[in-house]
Amino acid sequence: MSYVDGVVAAVPEANKEAYIEHARQAATIFKEFGATEVVECWGDDVPEGKINSMHTAVQRKEGEAIIFSWIIWPSKEIRDAGWGRMMEDSRMANQEMPFDGSRMIFGGFDMVLEA
């Protein structure tokens, strides 16, 4: 079964185009290193919860949007190798993140159902 990396972050709305360009460049490299699919979503209907929400989880500030993205890999082994290559790739070293990565939520998941 496939392996999925998931991300939730807050991005300044003023940086939307810069974020899309950053994501486009990263997606090209991820796919070069074995990812089968890269999806980037810009929040449109992301309600704030009473106890917790994506807003509070990433400490969203005024003027920021929530992004939700995922990368699908054929396996965890290919994902681990791909990330290793990604971290060493000079194309990524030269990119500036258009958001505060310290508030990003990231995790790897074994896919258990694909409908």
Side-chain angles (χ1 to χ4, degrees), residues 10-80:
V11 178
E13 293 170 359
N15 290 356
K16 183 175 183 178
E17 292 307 316
Y19 176 79
I20 292 170
E21 183 56 30
H22 169 79
R24 185 175 285 117
Q25 291 174 7
T28 298
I29 300 168
F30 281 125
K31 291 187 97 176
E32 181 181 324
F33 294 160
T36 58
E37 187 173 4
V38 179
V39 178
E40 296 285 344
C41 305
W42 190 265
D44 176 56
D45 184 15
V46 186
E48 292 194 48
K50 293 182 189 234
I51 296 174
N52 199 5
S53 66
M54 288 181 172
H55 295 261
T56 56
V58 296
Q59 301 173 6
R60 185 188 71 82
K61 298 175 183 173
E62 187 68 32
E64 291 181 327
I66 301 295
I67 64 96
F68 176 56
S69 62
W70 62 92
I71 305 164
I72 300 178
W73 303 89
S75 67
K76 185 174 190 314
E77 294 74 26
I78 293 172
R79 176 262 199 169
D80 290 347

